[in-house]
Amino acid sequence: MASSISATGFKGGFGTAFMGSWGTSIVGEDHAMLVKTVPSHVRVAKPVKSPPMMKNVNEGKGLFAPVVVITRQIIGKKRFNQLRGKAIALHSQVITEFCKSIGADAKQRQGLIRLAKKNGERLGFLA
């Protein structure tokens, strides 16, 4: 008595469906069932890349960093960023007025603004 195991279930005893060479082992109903269930092609999604995050290299460092971090946690990130933006804009205006009063050109003014940013990073204001 011959028995076989097919993709649809167990038939008969504890034998196998292998009869003959490897090339002829899947024939008949088993072959048709496998052809229907196996997809002809598989789509592979591209790996999801997270957008680069602009992080401060001095985050958590500096004299005022703990105060900045605690303030951000208390008032919330959105409100904190609004407040920070206003403070930076006001400071830039002060630098611009100072440059006007001493007669510095735009290039020197831009250099002073960059210097203020670097100092703010070192002191922890941009943590």
Side-chain angles (χ1 to χ4, degrees):
M1 176 172 127
S3 62
S4 65
I5 299 174
S6 69
T8 59
F10 178 78
K11 295 179 183 176
F14 290 106
T16 66
F18 182 74
M19 293 181 194
S21 69
W22 286 105
T24 61
S25 64
I26 301 178
V27 292
E29 66 181 47
D30 292 341
H31 176 63
M33 175 63 82
L34 288 173
V35 168
K36 289 180 185 174
T37 58
V38 176
S40 61
H41 64 281
V42 178
R43 288 187 183 190
V44 178
K46 291 182 181 178
V48 178
K49 245 193 217 182
S50 60
M53 293 188 63
M54 302 279 295
K55 281 237 167 188
N56 185 1
V57 294
N58 294 320
E59 188 166 349
K61 298 178 183 176
L63 182 64
F64 296 101
V67 175
V68 170
V69 171
I70 290 171
T71 304
R72 180 175 40 218
Q73 290 173 352
I74 291 172
I75 66 173
K77 195 171 187 178
K78 183 178 179 181
R79 179 73 181 126
F80 178 79
N81 285 337
Q82 290 173 344
L83 193 64
R84 176 186 277 172
K86 288 179 183 178
I88 291 171
L90 182 62
H91 193 232
S92 294
Q93 287 176 355
V94 169
I95 292 171
T96 300
E97 291 300 319
F98 173 75
C99 288
K100 283 181 184 176
S101 68
I102 64 167
D105 63 351
K107 190 172 182 178
Q108 290 173 326
R109 179 183 139 272
Q110 192 62 36
L112 287 174
I113 291 173
R114 284 193 181 119
L115 180 62
K117 184 179 181 211
K118 285 181 185 177
N119 287 337
E121 287 174 355
R122 274 191 239 124
L123 289 172
F125 287 118
L126 301 177

